[in-house]
């Protein structure tokens, strides 16, 4: 039985007065590697998931999560450009690295800001989330790649769902604007699926690569918002296909490896990344909420257990005593470094499991 108590010591260890550092050597932050907006956006989302689980009690962990959340919100506010896009990578001295703008970073940050906006109760923090959200929504009209569009779809559906409960949209954002974005992003995902689907390949792209559960997850979120049958059909069919591609002996979760990915002819077993397990858990939770099928809740449980040793090597990657997680599972064992992405993938998977 996997532990149910998780601490946030490592998350705090990886966070300084600027934000969340990206990489570590073992458990010690590698400052020379700097920061990424991707990780700080994930950290906002993780803090909100855990604050919702902890409820209204004034525990020390709850107070710590709010302190960390303030750092991550400040980071996104700083990293966002005037046009609404985000600088993703920064050196340790806070100077920006040379890069092209990232759809994934914009989409992920949009989702994080939306989650914060609809869940935060105090106006001081919500106004920061609203400012980030307002500019990111405007920029999101230029999203061109599926994962960025999936984040955008889920964020817009979340905002509209909360709108029906009486929550006002950020100043300058209209309901029609958000609905139009939903229609555009949803159709992009459906078109991609129909373009690549065959009798034996039920996926949105010719290869299954990284963060795969994100795509069916976004369609399940859209279905829960508007109830369109075609959206549900594609979401379920693609998630069920992904589950077969991510299952090993006795149903153990086996992420598609990044040493070659997966196409119709072959799949790579190594190296296995925690983020792919988290995204499968995320999609399975949303499928369970939409369909109330216990099989999907079981998938969430298996994803959680992957971190605690129910994996191809039978070796734990996560340490609940400080909330850290190894950076991947390689054929010769876990990667001993415990960076931001893997640690947040573990913390989010545990939160997803506990939410059910």
């Amino acid at each position: 039985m996997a532990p149910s108590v998780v601490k946030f010591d490592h998350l705090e260890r990886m966070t300084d007065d600027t934000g969340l550092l990206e990489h570590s050597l073992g458990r010690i932050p590698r400052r020379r590697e700097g920061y990424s907006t991707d990780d700080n956006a994930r950290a906002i989302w993780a803090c909100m998931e855990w604050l919702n689980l902890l409820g209204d009690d004034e525990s020390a962990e709850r107070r710590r999560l709010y302190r960390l959340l303030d750092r991550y919100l400040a980071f996104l506010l700083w990293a966002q450009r005037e046009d609404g896009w985000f600088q993703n990578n920064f050196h340790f001295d806070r100077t920006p690295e040379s890069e092209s703008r990232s759809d994934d970073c914009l989409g992920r940050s949009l989702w994080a800001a939306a989650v914060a906006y609809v869940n935060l109760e105090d106006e001081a923090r919500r106004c920061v989330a609203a400012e980030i959200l307002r500019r990111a929504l405007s920029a999101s009209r230029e999203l061109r790649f599926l994962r960025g569009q999936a984040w955008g779809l889920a964020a817009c559906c979340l905002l509209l769902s909360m709108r029906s409960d009486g929550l006002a949209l950020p100043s300058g954002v209209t309901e029609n604007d958000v609905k139009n974005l939903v229609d555009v992003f949803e159709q992009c995902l459906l078109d991609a699926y129909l373009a690549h689907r065959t009798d034996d390949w039920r996926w949105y792209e010719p290869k299954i690569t990284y963060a795969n559960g994100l795509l069916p997850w976004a369609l399940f979120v859209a279905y829960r918002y508007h109830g369109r049958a075609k959206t549900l059909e594609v979401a379920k069919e693609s998630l069920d296909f992904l589950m077969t591609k991510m299952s090993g002996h006795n149903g153990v979760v086996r992420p598609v490896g990044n040493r070659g990915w997966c196409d119709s002819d072959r799949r790579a077993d190594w190296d296995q990344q925690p983020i792919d397990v988290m995204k499968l858990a995320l999609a399975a939770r949303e499928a369970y909420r939409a369909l109330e099928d216990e099989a999907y809740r079981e998938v969430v449980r298996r994803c959680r257990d992957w971190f605690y040793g129910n994996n191809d090597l039978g070796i734990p990657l996560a340490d609940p005593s400080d909330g850290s997680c190894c950076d991947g599972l390689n054929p010769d064992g876990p990667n001993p470094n415990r960076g931001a992405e893997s640690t947040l993938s573990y913390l989010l998977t545990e939160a997803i499991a506990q939410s059910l």
Side-chain angles (χ1 to χ4, degrees):
M1 181 69 175
S4 59
V5 177
V6 173
K7 294 185 178 179
F8 306 99
D9 295 354
H10 189 62
L11 185 63
E12 187 171 44
R13 182 187 298 133
M14 293 290 293
T15 303
D16 64 13
D17 61 350
T18 298
L20 181 61
L21 289 151
E22 186 170 9
H23 295 297
S24 68
L25 180 61
R27 297 173 196 254
I28 303 304
R30 295 181 71 117
R31 290 174 176 156
R32 71 173 61 182
E33 305 285 340
Y35 313 87
S36 83
T37 301
D38 279 338
D39 290 329
N40 282 270
R42 290 186 186 101
I44 290 172
W45 178 23
C47 286
M48 295 312 309
E49 288 274 352
W50 280 101
L51 285 167
N52 286 338
L53 285 172
L54 291 173
D56 295 329
D57 67 295
E58 288 302 318
S59 65
E61 289 292 53
R62 187 174 173 83
R63 291 193 295 274
R64 172 157 59 167
L65 285 171
Y66 272 120
R67 288 196 303 271
L68 293 171
L69 176 64
D70 289 346
R71 301 277 175 90
Y72 309 140
L73 283 170
F75 190 99
L76 254 65
L77 192 63
W78 167 60
Q80 192 172 32
R81 301 167 181 159
E82 288 302 314
D83 63 1
W85 288 76
F86 293 83
Q87 171 71 27
N88 192 17
N89 297 293
F90 293 88
H91 298 290
F92 181 64
D93 65 2
R94 300 182 179 178
T95 58
E97 297 182 19
S98 177
E99 64 182 29
S100 301
R101 70 185 191 182
S102 166
D103 270 41
D104 281 16
C105 181
L106 173 58
R108 188 177 289 110
S109 300
L110 175 61
W111 168 252
V115 170
Y117 182 75
V118 302
N119 285 284
L120 286 169
E121 295 182 356
D122 63 289
E123 201 56 39
R125 291 184 176 97
R126 282 189 75 237
C127 75
V128 174
E131 175 64 13
I132 297 168
L133 191 55
R134 180 183 60 78
R135 288 190 285 165
L137 281 168
S138 178
S140 70
R141 298 184 181 96
E142 300 178 59
L143 288 169
R144 295 292 178 266
F145 297 100
L146 290 181
R147 283 160 183 77
Q149 292 166 343
W151 286 118
L153 175 59
C156 290
C157 288
L158 177 63
L159 290 172
L160 291 172
S161 297
M162 295 301 101
R163 177 82 177 115
S164 65
D165 293 336
L167 178 68
L169 292 171
S171 176
V173 177
T174 71
E175 192 166 336
N176 281 338
D177 290 338
V178 182
K179 286 181 175 178
N180 287 338
L181 288 171
V182 167
D183 291 340
V184 169
F185 296 149
E186 183 176 14
Q187 196 59 50
C188 287
L189 288 174
L190 294 176
D191 288 347
Y193 185 77
L194 294 175
H196 293 98
R197 182 195 183 280
T198 66
D199 288 343
D200 58 359
W201 186 257
R202 302 194 173 190
W203 197 242
Y204 307 80
E205 299 166 309
K207 280 190 174 184
I208 294 175
T209 55
Y210 72 98
N212 303 295
L214 187 68
L215 305 179
W217 165 72
L219 290 180
F220 274 116
V221 173
Y223 169 74
R224 286 218 297 145
Y225 163 62
H226 58 47
R228 294 174 187 160
K230 184 62 179 178
T231 299
L232 177 61
E233 178 187 340
V234 172
K236 185 179 187 309
E237 189 173 272
S238 59
L239 177 57
D240 290 348
F241 178 75
L242 180 63
M243 284 160 49
T244 66
K245 294 297 183 182
M246 288 184 64
S247 294
H249 183 64
N250 289 332
V252 67
V253 170
R254 177 179 289 165
V256 171
N258 63 9
R259 298 187 190 179
W261 308 121
C262 171
D263 57 27
S264 58
D265 296 322
R266 62 179 295 277
R267 81 180 298 280
D269 291 340
W270 311 102
D271 297 333
Q272 299 179 14
Q273 302 298 304
I275 194 169
D276 291 304
V277 180
M278 183 272 282
K279 294 293 174 58
L280 179 61
L282 180 68
R285 175 175 71 172
E286 201 62 32
Y288 175 76
R289 287 172 169 174
L291 300 171
E292 297 185 350
D293 184 337
E294 287 293 328
Y296 294 111
R297 184 150 66 171
E298 173 63 17
V299 170
V300 174
R301 185 194 64 78
R302 288 194 283 118
C303 288
R304 178 186 189 238
D305 289 351
W306 182 87
F307 288 90
Y308 295 113
N310 189 19
N311 51 51
D312 280 337
L313 297 185
I315 300 174
L317 280 78
D319 182 353
S321 72
D322 69 355
S324 66
C325 180
C326 294
D327 280 350
L329 190 63
N330 309 330
D332 57 350
N335 181 326
N337 300 325
R338 295 170 183 257
E341 179 183 279
S342 56
T343 292
L344 288 166
S345 295
Y346 160 57
L347 292 174
L348 280 163
T349 302
E350 182 66 45
I352 288 165
Q354 291 198 29
S355 73
L356 296 180

